[in-house]
Amino acid sequence: MRIDKYLANMNVGSRKDVHKLIKQGIVTINGEIVKTPKQKVADTDEVMVGEDVVTYQKYHYFLLNKPKGVLSATEDRSQRTVISLLRPEDRYQNLAPVGRLDKDTTGLLLLTNNGQLNHELLAPNKHVDKVYQAKIAGVADEETIRIFAQGMTLGDGTQLKPAKLKVLSQDKVNDSSEIEIKIQEGKYHQIKRMFGACGMKVVELHRISMGNLILGNLPLGEYRELSGEEIKTIK
Ligand code: URA
């Protein structure tokens, strides 16, 4: 790979910025000053810009606690996307969310520039469990648990796989409940439509886990890189 591409991919700067750094003579490969942006670099080479070693990492994986009001998309003409929550140096090319959370849904969202893995995790036969907690307008009960466990058919004929519903609390006076639900699919507005089909409304929806990835106590709007172990478990 060319050294200018290597440095630009590692977000050292734009191609133009990188060319300037090379001109300044502060980019080295194995201690030798780089003379031209066309110079080739191998995985085993040590690249430095000034005093900093720039190690090549092809893929990046970030776990974000998505707040309300941002879109699970890479770009949008008028609305903020989850990419805007990343520090500029973390906005790698082709970084995209793995699946979507609605604009008003909060919680765990994985972002990666590993397009192949992104695609695989969303494949219908992959069966990645996703767990959500929600506040519901309506009283979810044993009957709701039974309906969800059977695998329901939505009004438009969409057939859903069985979902595991836990009722965490019920408030019959205020006609509300708190629930936890585990689903394997990620169909459009799936959980909202499931409760809608039972005459209830999702008031708050928050994803707490996806496969082995757990949100934990990461504050809303913040993100972290996945650990090596976590990356292994999602592959
Ligand atoms: N189900 C929904 O209805 N919305 C989400 O954001 C995720 C699952």
Side-chain angles (χ1 to χ4, degrees):
M1 180 185 308
R2 282 171 54 138
I3 183 69
D4 57 348
K5 184 166 197 293
Y6 179 106
L7 293 174
N9 284 358
M10 286 307 94
N11 258 352
V12 169
S14 65
R15 284 270 182 129
K16 212 166 147 198
D17 297 334
V18 164
H19 288 187
K20 276 191 202 150
L21 296 171
I22 294 171
K23 244 190 182 158
Q24 287 167 20
I26 58 167
V27 178
T28 60
I29 300 178
N30 302 326
E32 299 275 327
I33 294 177
V34 173
K35 302 259 167 40
T36 157
K38 289 185 189 159
Q39 195 163 325
K40 289 282 196 294
V41 54
D43 288 354
T44 46
D45 289 335
E46 187 187 66
V47 175
M48 291 186 78
V49 176
E51 300 294 302
D52 301 323
V53 175
V54 182
T55 318
Y56 199 77
Q57 190 185 339
K58 190 169 177 191
Y59 294 128
H60 297 266
Y61 306 88
F62 296 118
L63 192 148
L64 167 75
N65 187 352
K66 180 193 165 302
K68 283 188 185 182
V70 289
L71 297 183
S72 301
T74 51
E75 49 187 13
D76 190 84
R77 279 193 182 182
S78 55
Q79 302 190 63
R80 286 179 74 206
T81 72
V82 287
I83 302 292
S84 73
L85 299 169
L86 305 180
R87 288 180 284 278
E89 64 269 28
D90 288 334
R91 293 179 199 166
Y92 295 96
Q93 266 182 12
N94 303 325
L95 201 64
V98 177
R100 281 166 188 269
L101 291 178
D102 295 338
K103 187 174 171 188
D104 60 355
T105 299
T106 56
L108 188 156
L109 188 65
L110 178 64
L111 296 141
T112 181
N113 59 346
N114 183 342
Q116 173 73 25
L117 183 81
N118 193 330
H119 187 73
E120 280 168 21
L121 287 173
L122 297 178
N125 57 358
K126 182 75 182 172
H127 305 316
V128 180
D129 285 336
K130 293 144 198 130
V131 180
Y132 296 80
Q133 288 182 340
K135 288 201 174 108
I136 306 294
V139 178
D141 57 14
E142 288 301 320
E143 177 63 3
T144 328
I145 294 173
R146 197 187 57 76
I147 294 170
F148 282 15
Q150 276 176 349
M152 58 196 298
T153 309
L154 298 175
D156 64 356
T158 307
Q159 177 67 50
L160 300 177
K161 293 205 174 82
K164 196 163 184 198
L165 178 66
K166 256 194 230 168
V167 178
L168 304 177
S169 70
Q170 283 174 332
D171 183 342
K172 288 188 177 152
V173 176
N174 292 304
D175 192 33
S176 65
S177 359
E178 290 178 327
I179 61 96
E180 191 169 291
I181 182 167
K182 189 194 279 184
I183 58 173
Q184 290 185 340
E185 302 140 300
K187 299 219 187 316
Y188 181 67
H189 289 340
Q190 180 166 336
I191 295 173
K192 290 175 185 165
R193 289 197 291 157
M194 288 170 80
F195 280 96
C198 299
M200 293 177 238
K201 190 169 185 300
V202 173
V203 180
E204 300 272 344
L205 187 59
H206 181 69
R207 182 154 70 188
I208 58 169
S209 71
M210 180 172 163
N212 289 321
L213 300 179
I214 293 170
L215 186 62
N217 52 12
L218 190 67
L220 268 178
E222 301 212 353
Y223 66 99
R224 63 172 177 83
E225 281 218 50
L226 290 194
S227 67
E229 273 309 303
E230 287 174 316
I231 295 169
K232 268 192 221 152
T233 70
I234 58 170
K235 279 187 173 167

